Amino acid sequence: MNATHAAWLVLAAPLAGTLVIALSFKWLPRQTAGWIGTLAIAVSFGYSIVAFVQLQSLSPEHRELTSSLWTIARTTGVDASATILVDPLSVFMILVVSGVSMLIHLYSVSYLKGDRGYARFFAYLNYFVFSMLLLVLAGNFLLLIVGWAFVGAASYMLISFWYRRASATQAGIKAFVINVIGDAGLVLGTFFIFRSSHSLDFVATFRVAPHVFAYGSGGITAGCLLLLVGAFAKSAQIPLHTWLPDAMEGPTPVSALIHAATMVTAGVYLIARMHPLFQLAPAAQDVGAIVGCLTLLIAGTIALAAVDIKRVIAYSTMSQIGYMIMGVSAGAYAAGLFHLMTHAFFKALLFMAAGSVIGAMGGEQSLDRISGMRKALPFTFICFLVGGLALSGIPPFSGFFSKDDILAQIGSRGGWYWALYAAGYLGAGLTALYTFRMIFRAFLGEPNPQARELEHGHLFHPEQPTNPANGEVEDTDVGFPGPDHVIAERALPMRVAMSLLALLAIAGGIVGIPKTTSWLENFLAPTFAGSTIHLAPSNTLIYVGLALGTVIGLGGIGLAWVVWVARPGSSTVIAARLAPAYRLFAGKWYFDELIDALVVRPATWFGRFAQGSFERVFVNGTLIGGTTAIVRAGSAVVRSAESGFVRYYVAFVVIGLSGVGLYFLVQS
Amino acid sequence: MTYLIFFIAAIGTLAGAIGVIALKDPFYCVLALVVHLISLAVLFMLLRAEFVAAAQVVVYAGAVMVLYIFVVSYIGGQNLSGSAGPGRAGTLAAFACAGALVAELFIAVLGTGLKAVGTGGAHVAAGFGNPESIGTLFLTKFLAPFEIASYLLLLAAVGAVTLARRRGGLDDGIEQRAPRISVAEFMSARPYYTGTQHETLGRPESLPEPTQR
Amino acid sequence: MIAAALIHPHGPYIDWAALSPLVALVGGSVVVLMVGLLRSRFARTQVVPFLTLVSLGVTIGFVIWQWHRHVAAISGALAFDQLTGTITLLVAAGGIAATLLSWRGQAPRESAHGDFYSMMLGSITGMVVLVAAQNLVTLFVGLELLSIPLYVLCATEMHRAASLEAGLKYLIVGSVGSATLVYGLALIYGATGSTDFSGIAGSISQGHSSDVLLLTGIALLTVGLAFKASIAPFHQWTPDVYEGAPTPVTAFMAVATKAAAFGVLLRVFDVMLPAEHLNWRPALLVLAAISIVVGNVGALGQSSLKRLLGYSSVAQAGYILAGVAVATTLGARATILYLVVYLLMNIAAFGAIVARERMTPYGDDFDAVAGLGAEDPWLAWPLTIAMLALAGVPATAGFIGKFFLIDALVGAGYTWLAILIVVGSMISLGYYLRVINAVWMRSAPGPSASAAAGVPVIAGGSPEADALGQTHIELRFAAVVFGGATVFFGIVPQPLFDLAQHAANTLSGAL
């Protein structure tokens, strides 16, 4: 079996899982759907490893394989086929995606066990993994767009999984709309590129790109900026980020899988995949780097003020993806992807642990009510702590190496990149601060009633299930969360998944220790061999960066300790003293309101106006009314000519015949 | 002499054809058709197509017409009331269309620049059109259409048997009312725009309204 | 030369291998006719359709066996090339589908199984002959062989007046079409002095290209063939006959007759008359445009599914004719591609409709499919897919077909017709979506609902109570297989492209 065969099987397994679960859910006994789904992803992961091994057995310059299953259309000007591209980048992505997905599926087997939509959940989840793998394996723009749109659809279905919850369906719609904006950007960007390259194929496009596009020319810049719109929407970068916090309405494993580990990193993948194009459009690269930098700062500050435990992690995700976008936009490809991988580990772990906490709270998510969970949930606490330390970049946890790698590479570019460098370290301080704010508030302090109950061995279940977002009363039938709440301490699959991720979060950094291992960088090198940006941070920069990162991380944790543990109450004092800033952060920098004021309201106003005057009079009255009237009248004429009398039919034949005959007479 | 025969036969052909559609009594219609066919046979003779002329007389004017006369005398005289005529405007339009078509064909036949048409006719070798040469053609050049035509006749016979049998009962012995198809059956009430003859005949108040969903 | 032939007439060489598909069909029809005479009920009701399927399967096998040969058989009267092969495959597939659809249907029981299937095979033979024809005589004989059994087949549900009416109407209007065609053939022969396509093409290229007699002949020929392909304004028999005929026969007419008619249109216009294309192209383009408009507009507001599909077939005929009319290799390819696609989606739709006719008392009315989505997804999905494909929604084969037609039209500079196709597709959503709406959004009407509405069962429905409520596996099989193929070829269209390219290559020398 060669690498491309394995890659096709990587795709086939989750698709088969989806179909099996979706078609046979009526006959599947309880939890079988979950195990089938997990098995499918495990098979996928297995073949990812096979693909990896097979790829490594080739010489580095031959590690770019394409394989076409069939041709969709090869005609005048279009060469669309179902082609996958197997190279180190895509193999790296399928390893991360299928590996993390496998663990999250395993976690979900237990976590969702009481839910009435159990089989549906796993059908969706497998479909999502298929779409994501399709996205990263796509060998041409067509499949990329298909995968991109599929992923958006899967995200919509999973956010709105509890479809009777109004807040969940609204969040799903919001995510879908913003994702479609991204899809439009991607499609238009593809068009801009295709117009000059005349090929949809990645390899061919990248090969001809330097010849058909002048460096920094308008066409390629516009194309890359449009691609960036797609990347920003999918990766929740400012200003297209507002859907991500709302997406936390979905079940927690969904948040872990889609909105932390895989889908939201698609933008990072896109920029890395398109690097031969982006390197021709420096302006687009700069836009990407600056937007990533802004996102990491702004999201960090919002996370500092958010109170919903899942939203804190969601803002943290935005912030971390900001690092990655900044990195890959600045040319630090291997570093950005390294952070993508470690982030997938520790962020999935954090979400899983948060899910366990929420289970213990009976569905409650507000940090204002969660406290003192340490004794009640010892395993969860350890996992949360490991994830938090990795996120904060404390050595030797994985996040430490990857974050500093990005920043060192950016620093090595010099010039105004120093500003990004500084912002990155500022963001690192924020990260440590909000992460440990969350940990200290949730796990330390006085145990709350639920925690105390759990310490006595009884898992809290609320009298009446409610929506944690707005307190609406619900039931536990299909379309709402099920009656069971689950904690990791009492579910073996969850513990296995979390333990494995915790190990990865601790030790994942080993693949990229600067100057020592650099395995990941070497592995990815063939993909980025043609890169025109060569970054080689000096030793000084690396070691200073590592030291600085450690100090800032520890400093952030220390500050959090002081504010939320050592001197409880000081946070309110600080919030009061810095009231404008706090309001800004707690109000999420008013992005929702800004978009509302700048886009939604004018659009609504214009829509009302257009509906009232333009549409009613012109469109409805004249265009549509006129058209439908014509069509209706034509329909009546045609049908009433259908009299049923054979003699009239023959008469029509004769009329038509004399018409055609007359035409030919005129021609002669 | 040739011209005289040609004109007599031509007049006979046209008169016969007009008679077929103009006469009221079906029996006379069939007789007019016989006149038409025999005149045609004469025209074929003038073109030295002896075989076709003979076939025309034997098969059409002879066998087929006898069948027609039998059929007409057997079921003739049925009153076709209820099928209202097309009306004055319809009749005029029909004549106009037919006239236009005839004019076009005249222009086509008279206006052609081909030398063969309008002179003494194409030169044909001796023996052209006699039974022997036709037989040879059927067995060589047109063997395929000849054989297919025989197969066509077989199927036509099968079809005729199928329709004529009209058992009205099912194959497996379930008897059904053998429907007697009459004009009235074609005019049973059906919704608008479903191609029945009824709606053109008026009485719209008895029709159900077209269903719009 | 004639004298020599008179003395020693030699029979033409007969290439039996090339003729084998035709032999399988003719032999099959004779065997089926004989077996139909047996007393055993099992032989008549089961063995006869089975033998029909065998005959069609063998035909397909022979076509594939002879695929790469290019033979002018029996004195050059029939051409067995890849165009003939492709159309043979299509009509045989249509025949297989029609056999499955009528296996336990009413029509063969009323008209005797042997006769029914024998005539169907005969009609298929006529279609093959028509497409393979290389001279005017063979063309006309093929056309009659196609038509005459069909006239009878339309009337085989003899207890229904509508079926007899359909047969009668088809016969009368069809005879007018045949007369027109044969008149046209006579004029063409008169103008060129040859009955062979190649001889006619040669005569035209020697300078008779705009002779009035020839052009009038072409006009009459166009009308005659347009009639068979149900192109407006020669389409008026179509909705009535489609509605009145037994539904399996309607399905057969819709797919197989159409394939044969367009096969011969390609042959006639692109092999016999390519030198005249400047003269006939505008006429065909206008006819295509009229068909698209009339068909799509007429289908709105129909309450009978078969009637709706009848109008829809007029519109689709307009689309396909556009591919013939552009007279380019790309256009010929698009035509053949669309014929294949058209077969797939129509059989899927008709399979579901036949099944509902037997299960519900509503015949082919919209009520018959109301609530189908909840009741029987295995029928609802093929029907839905077929409707979406007919409307040209992406990810179905219908989209691929339309895409290539539009590509061919734009490539040849007829953007206006391409726009008209798109507009027609938009209008068509107005009625295709109504079907889907009925399938998924409406609930099945209760038994009292139809009585209250007072609408009598119009057509297709057998009022026999004992026949109702049965689900027949072969119908479901046909619907699911063809519906699945519609989706499959929408995603993996390359095999269709290859087929169309092969078939069109036989024409490319002429174009």
Side-chain angles (χ1 to χ4, degrees), chain A residues 47-252:
Chain A
Y47 281 116
S48 302
I49 293 173
V50 173
F52 170 74
V53 172
Q54 291 297 329
L55 195 69
Q56 286 304 97
S57 68
L58 303 171
S59 64
E61 61 271 25
H62 291 116
R63 287 183 201 157
E64 186 177 69
L65 311 169
T66 57
S67 162
S68 274
L69 205 57
W70 73 82
T71 307
I72 295 166
R74 181 159 294 143
T75 172
T76 44
V78 185
D79 57 336
S81 42
T83 306
I84 56 170
L85 172 61
V86 181
D87 67 351
L89 175 58
S90 59
V91 168
F92 165 77
M93 287 302 291
I94 59 174
L95 278 170
V96 173
V97 169
S98 59
V100 175
S101 300
M102 178 178 70
L103 296 178
I104 293 172
H105 271 73
L106 185 63
Y107 177 90
S108 312
V109 168
S110 291
Y111 193 76
L112 264 283
K113 78 175 187 323
D115 202 282
R116 291 283 307 278
Y118 191 76
R120 182 166 57 96
F121 180 80
F122 280 94
Y124 285 172
L125 213 56
N126 264 11
Y127 170 64
F128 165 76
V129 177
F130 165 72
S131 313
M132 187 69 201
L133 291 169
L134 185 67
L135 192 163
V136 297
L137 277 172
N140 57 32
F141 282 99
L142 189 74
L143 275 199
L144 177 77
I145 291 168
V146 170
W148 200 264
F150 275 13
V151 161
S155 163
Y156 164 75
M157 294 192 285
L158 283 164
I159 295 170
S160 308
F161 178 71
W162 288 319
Y163 56 83
R164 285 169 63 205
R165 232 179 215 183
S167 55
T169 49
Q170 276 161 10
I173 291 169
K174 189 174 184 181
F176 196 70
V177 168
I178 294 181
N179 267 301
V180 166
I181 294 174
D183 293 352
L186 181 68
V187 172
L188 289 176
T190 302
F191 173 71
F192 263 92
I193 292 156
F194 175 75
R195 209 178 47 167
S196 299
S197 72
H198 302 296
S199 175
L200 286 174
D201 192 68
F202 283 162
V203 178
T205 304
F206 298 157
R207 196 173 53 237
V208 301
H211 310 297
V212 297
F213 293 112
Y215 180 79
S217 67
I220 186 71
T221 308
C224 286
L225 283 175
L226 285 164
L227 291 183
L228 272 184
V229 171
F232 288 168
K234 201 63 90 189
S235 291
Q237 298 297 292
I238 285 172
L240 298 176
H241 65 282
T242 54
W243 64 272
L244 182 64
D246 289 4
M248 296 301 123
E249 288 284 346
T252 305

Side-chain angles (χ1 to χ4, degrees), chain A residues 70 72 635 642 649 652 663, chain C residues 169 236 240 279 297 491 493:
Chain A
W70 73 82
I72 295 166
S635 179
E642 203 68 22
Y649 294 1
F652 268 104
Y663 161 77
Chain C
K169 274 183 183 164
Q236 285 199 302
D240 285 8
N279 285 326
V297 164
I491 300 169

Side-chain angles (χ1 to χ4, degrees), chain C residues 396-462:
Chain C
T396 62
F399 171 75
I400 304 284
K402 266 196 194 129
F403 182 82
F404 275 82
L405 276 176
I406 290 172
D407 192 32
L409 283 173
V410 173
Y414 296 101
T415 313
W416 63 271
L417 192 54
I419 292 171
L420 194 64
I421 288 182
V422 174
V423 171
S425 306
M426 277 155 55
I427 297 176
S428 74
L429 282 172
Y431 51 93
Y432 292 130
L433 289 184
R434 265 181 68 218
V435 178
I436 295 176
N437 176 46
V439 168
W440 295 101
M441 312 295 275
R442 279 175 54 196
S443 54
S448 60
S450 69
V455 182
V457 175
I458 295 160
S462 53

